[in-house]
Amino acid sequence: MKKFVLTFLIFTIGLEVLVRTTTVPWIFEPSFSQIGSLRSVEKEIVEADSTKIVFLGNSLTRDAVSPLIVSDSLNLNKKEVLNLGLSAGNYFIDEYLIKSFKVKPEIIFLQVDIGRFEYDQIEDTYYFIKYSKLNDWNTISKYWYSPDNFLTSISKLYASRDIWHRFVFFRNESENIGEIIKKDQLGQFEVYKNNETLNEGNFDLQKYKNYKETIDGSNSLIYLKKICKFSQENNINLNFIHMPIKIDSDSTEADIVNDFLLYIEKQCSGVQGVYNFANFNFENNNIFLDYGHLNNIGAEEFSKNLMISYEK
């Protein structure tokens, strides 16, 4: 019995070391997942020799900004502009990605909107599960109350249990292990089929009504402030950007987004610029996939105008 217990402990510790120091089991996740999305942008960072401009955010940023159009408009090498927008990306993983650059970027455009504060359970994301350390769990200590979160915080092997389970029982064998998301003609990650519509409808501006209550005391604000501090300490030109959203043309509430951005700006001493494109005036029609994700037509028009606004 003692021999069995000792063998089990050695085996478990070995797996724990494996999970903490290698790409296993994270590499087992398919490309269209949080970890797969992260794997794709991390490859971008590794392959970029020197980076001038970085866009950080969630899928709204991923789908709105063409790094190729931005780099062409500024006469930069295509690897000098990176769009690191992630599926369900939060400020925790944004901070991690910024710090992972060997040579820090000169300019950062960081997506800010109410949605990035509204969903505040960052401990449920695989970005946090993979890269969080004990001090991160201490930062969000109110979530330590459950035994599950406690085990997740101390064991990456336990935290990655769902990945092992999916790989063994529900693996998509049509995709190679470690595959990354392919790029489209705009240099964006190609995650939608042509002319695909996710969900028709406008963005509900009522979500901004109680923005102070949503922001104050949130985990998202903690990590946003960490980004601000790091940018200031490393002489990074940090800019806040609100991506275009589909707003009812008759709405009289669009100004509340400006109030939200002014409040966010006051939380960050190092921000250099704030750009509100929530009600961006597109010349083309049918440019949204849903309430905020742009299709390629929308991304092309927005990206061409983006740097014009910045340079002004």
Side-chain angles (χ1 to χ4, degrees), residues 11-78:
F11 178 74
T12 303
I13 292 171
L15 282 178
E16 181 70 38
V17 173
L18 181 74
V19 172
R20 287 180 177 272
T21 59
T22 73
T23 59
V24 176
W26 317 103
I27 200 170
F28 296 156
E29 284 285 82
S31 59
F32 292 101
S33 65
Q34 288 184 8
I35 293 298
S37 180
L38 178 60
R39 183 166 62 236
S40 298
V41 302
E42 286 182 320
K43 185 174 185 290
E44 295 274 287
I45 294 173
V46 170
E47 293 180 349
D49 297 327
S50 62
T51 306
K52 301 288 187 182
I53 302 174
V54 169
F55 292 87
L56 291 162
N58 58 28
S59 55
L60 297 188
T61 294
R62 179 195 66 199
D63 298 339
V65 179
S66 164
L68 291 183
I69 290 176
V70 172
S71 60
D72 285 346
S73 68
L74 299 174
N75 294 317
L76 296 174
N77 183 287
K78 65 180 181 179

Side-chain angles (χ1 to χ4, degrees), residues 34 58 86-94 111 113-129 140 142-143 149 203 207 210-211 213-215 217-223 260 291:
Q34 288 184 8
N58 58 28
L86 288 164
S87 176
N90 53 43
Y91 293 120
F92 166 81
I93 194 60
D94 288 344
Q111 178 190 336
D113 55 48
I114 197 64
R116 304 202 79 195
F117 293 91
E118 194 174 38
Y119 181 78
D120 200 45
Q121 286 71 44
I122 61 174
E123 80 284 356
D124 290 338
T125 67
Y126 273 100
Y127 308 128
F128 192 82
I129 288 172
I140 58 168
K142 60 183 178 180
Y143 293 110
N149 281 338
F203 184 88
K207 292 178 181 290
N210 299 313
Y211 63 84
E213 289 84 348
T214 303
I215 295 169
S218 65
N219 292 317
S220 297
L221 181 60
I222 292 171
Y223 284 99
F260 161 81
Y291 69 90

Side-chain angles (χ1 to χ4, degrees), residues 40-299:
S40 298
V41 302
E42 286 182 320
K43 185 174 185 290
E44 295 274 287
I45 294 173
V46 170
E47 293 180 349
D49 297 327
S50 62
T51 306
K52 301 288 187 182
I53 302 174
V54 169
F55 292 87
L56 291 162
N58 58 28
S59 55
L60 297 188
T61 294
R62 179 195 66 199
D63 298 339
V65 179
S66 164
L68 291 183
I69 290 176
V70 172
S71 60
D72 285 346
S73 68
L74 299 174
N75 294 317
L76 296 174
N77 183 287
K78 65 180 181 179
K79 288 188 177 182
E80 291 182 308
V81 179
L82 299 182
N83 181 346
L84 304 183
L86 288 164
S87 176
N90 53 43
Y91 293 120
F92 166 81
I93 194 60
D94 288 344
E95 184 206 16
Y96 177 86
L97 290 175
I98 293 170
K99 290 183 174 180
S100 68
F101 280 91
K102 291 182 179 179
V103 179
K104 300 298 180 284
E106 295 179 9
I107 302 169
I108 288 176
F109 287 94
L110 182 66
Q111 178 190 336
V112 289
D113 55 48
I114 197 64
R116 304 202 79 195
F117 293 91
E118 194 174 38
Y119 181 78
D120 200 45
Q121 286 71 44
I122 61 174
E123 80 284 356
D124 290 338
T125 67
Y126 273 100
Y127 308 128
F128 192 82
I129 288 172
K130 181 177 182 181
Y131 284 127
S132 61
K133 298 179 180 178
L134 282 177
N135 64 307
D136 293 306
W137 283 93
N138 286 329
T139 300
I140 58 168
S141 57
K142 60 183 178 180
Y143 293 110
W144 275 58
Y145 295 149
S146 75
D148 182 64
N149 281 338
F150 176 73
L151 288 172
T152 300
S153 69
I154 63 173
S155 171
K156 296 298 181 185
L157 177 60
Y158 180 82
S160 64
R161 65 196 182 282
D162 288 344
I163 297 176
W164 296 96
H165 182 264
R166 280 194 296 273
F167 179 73
V168 173
F169 297 104
F170 302 104
R171 180 189 171 194
N172 177 8
E173 296 187 3
S174 65
E175 183 176 284
N176 295 325
I177 293 175
E179 195 163 309
I180 63 170
I181 305 173
K182 295 179 175 62
K183 295 288 192 69
D184 63 18
Q185 69 271 22
L186 298 180
Q188 296 171 295
F189 291 115
E190 190 173 24
V191 295
Y192 308 119
K193 297 177 182 178
N194 291 335
N195 302 317
E196 182 176 355
T197 298
L198 300 180
N199 180 27
E200 291 291 349
N202 297 321
F203 184 88
D204 182 9
L205 287 174
Q206 287 296 313
K207 292 178 181 290
Y208 281 93
K209 187 175 181 180
N210 299 313
Y211 63 84
K212 290 184 181 179
E213 289 84 348
T214 303
I215 295 169
D216 291 347
S218 65
N219 292 317
S220 297
L221 181 60
I222 292 171
Y223 284 99
L224 177 70
K225 288 183 175 180
K226 286 176 179 285
I227 293 171
C228 294
K229 181 180 178 182
F230 183 81
S231 297
Q232 198 168 28
E233 291 173 345
N234 289 272
N235 297 315
I236 297 172
N237 185 327
L238 176 65
N239 302 272
F240 289 165
I241 182 170
H242 194 299
M243 292 300 167
I245 51 178
K246 192 176 181 182
I247 301 175
D248 188 339
S249 59
D250 297 326
S251 175
T252 59
E253 302 173 320
D255 287 345
I256 197 171
V257 178
N258 285 325
D259 297 337
F260 161 81
L261 290 173
L262 285 171
Y263 188 73
I264 287 294
E265 185 178 7
K266 291 177 181 178
Q267 313 301 315
C268 180
S269 58
V271 67
Q272 301 296 307
V274 180
Y275 300 90
N276 182 6
F277 295 110
N279 202 17
F280 184 79
N281 186 24
F282 286 95
E283 293 181 1
N284 291 292
N285 297 317
N286 302 318
I287 43 79
F288 284 102
L289 292 166
D290 57 7
Y291 69 90
H293 295 85
L294 293 177
N295 60 24
N296 276 6
I297 296 173

